[in-house]
Amino acid sequence: MSGVIGIDLGVTRVAVALLRDRERSEPLVRPTERSDTDALVGQITELVDQARTDDVAAVGVGVARVVEFETGRVVAAGRRPGPGGNGAVDLPLANVPLRHVLEERLGLPVFVDNRTSVSALAEAHDEQLEQVARHLVFLGIGAGVGGGLVLGGRIYRGATGGAGELGHTIVGLDLAGAVPAPMRFPQPGSLEFVASGHALDGLAGQARNVHPKSELARLRGEGKPVLGTDVIRAARDGDPSAARMIEIWGQRIGIGVANAINAFDPEEVVIGGYAAGAGDLLVEAARPLSPGSPRRALRRRPDSGPSRRPSRRGTSSRSRAARGRGSRPPCRRRRRRRRARSAGSARARAS
C-alpha cells in the first residue's frame, strides 16, 4: 500500500510523519522557520525528504491559517494582532499558493487545508479509518482557540474557507451600554480571549497569589514561570487550587461548547490541542454549561445529548488526517451497506 506524508504546520512548530498501512511513523518535529517564505518552504521540503520513501503517493498539509482549499492558497489574516494579544508571531505564508509551491519542490501531489479542520476529520474516524461520527465539532485549544467542523461526514469550510472560527465567537460581553467596538485581537469577551492557553496562564498567576501553599506557589517561590501546562499537571496530581483553575477554565470552554451544540447539533464535541491534556477534569467542568440542544431533548431522554470528550489522538490527529482529500476517507462499512442494498434490490427485482 502506498504511503502518504502528513505535515502539521503550526506557528511554533512543524511536525512531519509518514503514514502507511494505518500506521504512523515517529514524527520529525522542529521549531517553525518564520524568517521568510523561502526559508519555511525549504524547511518543509527538507523534513519531507527525510521522512519520504519510494512509495509515497501524496503529501497533506494542515496549516494554522484559513486556506482556500481548491487552490491551496493560504489566506492573509484579516487583521493584525493588537498589543497584548496572543498572536504576536505569524507564518510567512500570507497569500502564498502553498499547494503549487510544494508540488513544484516535492514532485508529488500536495493537498493543503486548515489544521483544525483536518483534526476534526481525524476525530470523526477511528483508528481503522472507519467513520464513527457524521456530525462533529472540534475545538482546538492552545495558544489560541480554533474550530473544525465535520457536517454530513465531510469537512465544512464555508464560502471562503473560514468556517469554524469558534474562537472569535462572543461568550461574555458587557451590554449595559453601547456595544463596545472591537479594539484588538483577540477581542475581549471572545472565546479565545477567555479560554485559550494564555487565559489559563492568567489563571495560574491568580492561583499562585491566592493559594500560597499550592504547588503553583511553590514553583513561583523557586523562581520558575508558572504557566497553564503547570496548572494541568498539578491538577492531575491532585492539587486542589490547580483543580479549581481547571474548573473555571472548563466552565468558560463549556459556554463555547454549548454555542457549538446549539448551532450545529453535532453527535460529538471534541476538545483537542494542549487542553486535551487536562482530560476528564476539563470535560466534566465544561459539561454542566453545555447540555443537549432543545431539539435533542425533544427526540431523546432529557439527560441525553451529544457526547463531549478530549481528543483520542492529542495533536497526532492532524498528521493522521492531513492526507489532503478534504473529505471522508474510504469507509469499508459504508461500501458494504451500499453493496448489500444493491444486492437486495436486485433480488427483489428478480423475484
Side-chain angles (χ1 to χ4, degrees):
M1 181 178 179
S2 297
V4 294
I5 287 179
I7 302 173
D8 176 17
L9 179 54
V11 172
T12 58
R13 66 161 209 162
V14 55
V16 176
L18 174 67
L19 299 147
R20 183 194 290 113
D21 297 329
R22 302 191 180 103
E23 296 293 332
R24 189 198 70 186
S25 69
E26 187 67 25
L28 302 172
V29 182
R30 302 287 186 275
T32 304
E33 175 57 70
R34 298 192 303 265
S35 58
D36 58 50
T37 301
D38 288 340
L40 177 55
V41 171
Q43 180 186 46
I44 295 171
T45 302
E46 180 182 345
L47 289 171
V48 170
D49 286 341
Q50 292 180 39
R52 72 188 294 177
T53 55
D54 292 339
D55 65 343
V56 166
V59 174
V61 184
V63 60
R65 286 297 174 266
V66 174
V67 174
E68 185 181 74
F69 179 72
E70 289 75 14
T71 65
R73 179 178 67 90
V74 179
V75 178
R79 51 186 170 180
R80 304 290 297 177
N86 61 12
V89 295
D90 201 355
L91 294 171
L93 292 174
N95 293 315
V96 172
L98 189 59
R99 175 193 281 184
H100 175 72
V101 170
L102 288 177
E103 283 182 339
E104 283 199 333
R105 294 287 292 268
L106 299 172
L108 290 169
V110 175
F111 300 86
V112 182
D113 208 341
N114 174 268
R115 73 194 302 219
T116 317
S117 293
V118 297
S119 293
L121 184 66
E123 292 292 343
H125 294 78
D126 62 18
E127 295 294 337
Q128 286 69 48
L129 303 185
E130 298 284 356
Q131 190 169 52
V132 293
R134 286 179 51 78
H135 306 280
L136 179 143
V137 174
F138 180 87
L139 276 174
I141 300 175
V145 176
L149 305 174
V150 172
L151 304 178
R154 303 173 71 89
I155 291 175
Y156 180 75
R157 301 181 180 86
T160 65
E165 291 291 343
L166 302 177
H168 299 326
T169 59
I170 302 301
V171 297
L173 200 61
D174 183 3
L175 299 177
V179 176
M183 299 179 63
R184 64 181 186 272
F185 176 78
Q187 182 179 348
S190 68
L191 182 62
E192 182 161 322
F193 186 84
V194 302
S196 70
H198 289 285
L200 184 58
D201 292 343
L203 289 171
Q206 296 177 32
R208 69 170 181 256
N209 294 329
V210 176
H211 304 282
K213 295 184 179 180
S214 69
E215 173 67 13
L216 306 180
R218 184 188 67 77
L219 292 173
R220 179 65 172 176
E222 295 175 356
K224 299 176 181 178
V226 182
L227 301 174
T229 49
D230 300 306
V231 177
I232 292 173
R233 182 173 60 253
R236 293 185 71 88
D237 288 342
D239 183 83
S241 60
R244 175 56 180 157
M245 295 301 104
I246 295 295
E247 182 181 12
I248 294 171
W249 189 40
Q251 290 171 348
R252 296 176 178 182
I253 293 170
I255 298 173
V257 172
N259 290 341
I261 290 172
N262 286 317
F264 301 107
D265 194 23
E267 299 164 69
E268 286 193 303
V269 177
V270 180
I271 298 172
Y274 101 131
D280 289 340
L281 290 174
L282 184 69
V283 172
E284 291 306 312
R287 192 181 302 277
L289 278 298
S290 55
S293 70
R295 291 194 304 278
R296 285 184 179 275
L298 291 174
R299 293 199 306 265
R300 299 185 180 182
R301 298 188 308 275
D303 62 344
S304 179
S307 69
R308 308 149 188 83
R309 61 174 172 84
S311 169
R312 285 189 289 259
R313 302 177 177 89
T315 58
S316 69
S317 57
R318 293 172 187 143
S319 59
R320 185 176 293 274
R323 66 188 67 242
R325 300 301 180 192
S327 61
R328 57 194 174 216
C331 179
R332 294 189 302 275
R333 188 185 306 146
R334 190 180 306 109
R335 290 199 296 268
R336 287 197 296 268
R337 285 198 296 263
R338 284 200 295 264
R339 286 197 295 266
R341 285 196 296 268
S342 298
S345 298
R347 286 194 297 269
R349 287 194 299 270
S351 62

